[in-house]
Amino acid sequence: MSCALLPAHTSYRSAVNNLSVSRVGRQQRLTNRRPQRTGSSVISNVATAPLPPPADISRPARPQQLEQPDLSQSPPFTLSDLKRAIPQHCWQKNTAKSVSYLVKDVAIVAGLAVAAYSANTWWAWPLYWMAQGTMFWALFVVGHDCGHQSFSSNKKINDLVGNITHSSILVPYHGWRISHRTHHSNHGHVENDESWHPVSKKLYDGMDPLARIGRLTFPISMLAFPFYLMSRSPGKQGSHYDPEADLFVQSEAPLIKTSNRFLMGMWAVLAGFTVALGPLAMFNLYFVPYWINVMWLDAVTYLHHHGPEDDSKIPWYRGEEWSYLRGGLSTIDRDYGIFNKIHHDIGTHVLHHLFPQMPHYNLEEATEAVKPVMKEYYRVPEKSKGPIPFHLWGHLSRSFTEDHFVDDTGDIVYYQKDPEFGANLKASQKKQQHA
């Protein structure tokens, strides 16, 4: 609009006012299409700079990257916090329920043996070996719970059932129970842990070839348990059968002798069946399943302390950095597919290590209860993609390939790989041959 087109009687001031009103009207129509700011007037809307285009308004803010906590450090919760989160009934031991699991296991063991012996065909024996070896391992877990006094509130019942179940698979119940107690009391400690603990670089360099093969070579290491019972882990001495071994205090010697008597009784039973059925029958019925059981035991116990599924490293501790809680949190839960219930939920291992007196049938519920407290400190296990946990084979073989030793010093250490492991092993063998 131009002043020359206005009527003559219109003053300059009127023209300016009309022009302002016209602009305000257009601006109001535009701003009505936009969200209005609370408390702003029409004049202030006209005076302010134009709003950014809609594309700029709708652009989402960039999310901030949350930093993962260092899981080797002390967690922001205590053992008492975890205990308070667990429902009270999870601590209750039900002897009848525990016995029902044992009766079921024994019935399956007997049924498998009768069926395989009756069939006595080439194709049935391998199936039997795998199934029966698995059930022998289930019997071991029952005795394991007795050792933790989680089978029953009655210690005499625990020790009786433990001696029977463990001697049936040639394990000295009290000898193993006491060393396993040491393992739980020192879990995650480089030197003080009892089973499947790491070896220091100095100890690793001094190991003879046979020790390296037996301890660090997969799958041979999956046959280690009977040798561990006889001579313990590298760097430690003593036998689980010897009442005078450093593993035990003097007052425990009678218990070791008791378990040895149970073992002698089992050997007598095996000898009797060998005479009655023949050596070949007993080889198929008992001794092959026994070694399958040993492989289960070594694989499961190794996987609970090595080879996390996210390819990270598990911390091991010394000195003031070690604590019962931090050591327990360094253990690993695993999913064993269809075997989870057959093996009495042994895969729920973290909570079992922290509270070993809890019955196995309550571990899953208790684990779910503490997850909100543990948060990132709980390593969620990878689910088996089928009934057979084939996914664990990769974690097992990878750990044996990469986890050879830890530093001689340092209060928080991790496994390291010997890149020349195979070559060094052959060199040590040659050196020993020429010695």
Side-chain angles (χ1 to χ4, degrees), residues 154-413:
N154 188 310
K155 187 177 185 301
K156 290 183 178 180
I157 293 176
N158 285 322
D159 289 347
L160 177 62
V161 174
N163 269 306
I164 293 173
T165 54
H166 271 194
S167 62
S168 72
I169 49 175
L170 304 182
V171 175
Y173 167 71
H174 280 300
W176 171 86
R177 175 185 64 81
I178 293 168
S179 72
H180 191 65
R181 180 187 64 197
T182 303
H183 164 56
H184 269 260
S185 300
N186 298 277
H187 47 208
H189 194 290
V190 176
E191 283 82 22
N192 296 342
D193 202 342
E194 175 60 31
S195 58
W196 287 127
H197 60 86
V199 295
S200 65
K201 182 65 166 62
K202 181 179 180 180
L203 182 60
Y204 174 82
D205 290 338
M207 290 173 68
D208 62 70
L210 286 179
R212 285 197 185 185
I213 291 173
R215 177 65 173 79
L216 301 169
T217 306
F218 180 78
I220 297 175
S221 294
M222 298 298 96
L223 304 174
F225 184 64
F227 305 97
Y228 162 72
L229 291 177
M230 288 186 288
S231 58
R232 299 176 70 189
S233 301
K236 300 180 184 294
Q237 295 180 345
S239 169
H240 288 74
Y241 307 95
D242 181 7
E244 306 300 324
D246 290 340
L247 266 170
F248 319 116
V249 297
Q250 188 175 0
S251 61
E252 293 169 333
L255 299 175
I256 307 306
K257 293 177 182 178
T258 297
S259 292
N260 287 344
R261 293 189 190 100
F262 272 90
L263 285 173
M264 288 188 289
M266 183 60 193
W267 277 111
V269 170
L270 292 175
F273 273 107
T274 302
V275 171
L277 304 177
L280 181 59
M282 285 304 293
F283 174 82
N284 286 319
L285 284 171
Y286 186 85
F287 291 104
V288 176
Y290 166 80
W291 284 105
I292 299 296
N293 149 69
V294 167
M295 287 189 280
W296 264 114
L297 191 153
D298 279 318
V300 169
T301 53
Y302 184 90
L303 282 167
H304 287 160
H305 301 276
H306 298 78
E309 291 155 343
D310 58 1
D311 294 339
S312 64
K313 291 289 187 179
I314 293 294
W316 289 83
Y317 302 96
R318 292 186 180 103
E320 294 183 357
E321 291 293 346
W322 181 87
S323 70
Y324 181 85
L325 177 58
R326 291 169 77 178
L329 294 176
S330 69
T331 62
I332 306 170
D333 278 8
R334 299 291 189 182
D335 179 26
Y336 296 103
I338 62 171
F339 302 105
N340 284 328
K341 296 303 177 184
I342 297 173
H343 294 168
H344 308 305
D345 293 316
I346 196 67
T348 49
H349 204 66
V350 176
L351 205 67
H352 163 68
H353 250 269
L354 293 172
F355 304 109
Q357 61 277 82
M358 183 178 294
H360 71 83
Y361 40 81
N362 292 332
L363 284 173
E364 283 191 334
E365 181 183 355
T367 296
E368 291 300 319
V370 300
K371 282 182 181 179
V373 180
M374 295 175 67
K375 297 182 180 177
E376 296 89 349
Y377 282 82
Y378 178 76
R379 298 175 176 86
V380 179
E382 179 184 351
K383 292 294 183 182
S384 177
K385 296 178 175 60
I388 309 299
F390 292 116
H391 69 292
L392 295 177
W393 183 269
H395 302 304
L396 193 63
S397 59
R398 175 177 58 82
S399 179
F400 272 100
T401 301
E402 299 179 356
D403 298 341
H404 294 142
F405 60 85
V406 297
D407 282 334
D408 294 324
T409 59
D411 286 351
I412 302 178
V413 293

Side-chain angles (χ1 to χ4, degrees), residues 91-118:
W91 303 99
Q92 297 174 3
K93 305 167 188 177
N94 187 327
T95 303
K97 191 171 186 177
S98 297
V99 170
S100 70
Y101 284 104
L102 172 61
V103 169
K104 180 186 69 175
D105 289 349
V106 172
I108 293 173
V109 167
L112 287 172
V114 170
Y117 185 75
S118 301

Side-chain angles (χ1 to χ4, degrees), residues 11-22:
S11 66
Y12 177 76
R13 183 184 298 273
S14 176
V16 172
N17 288 338
N18 287 338
L19 180 59
S20 298
V21 170
S22 175

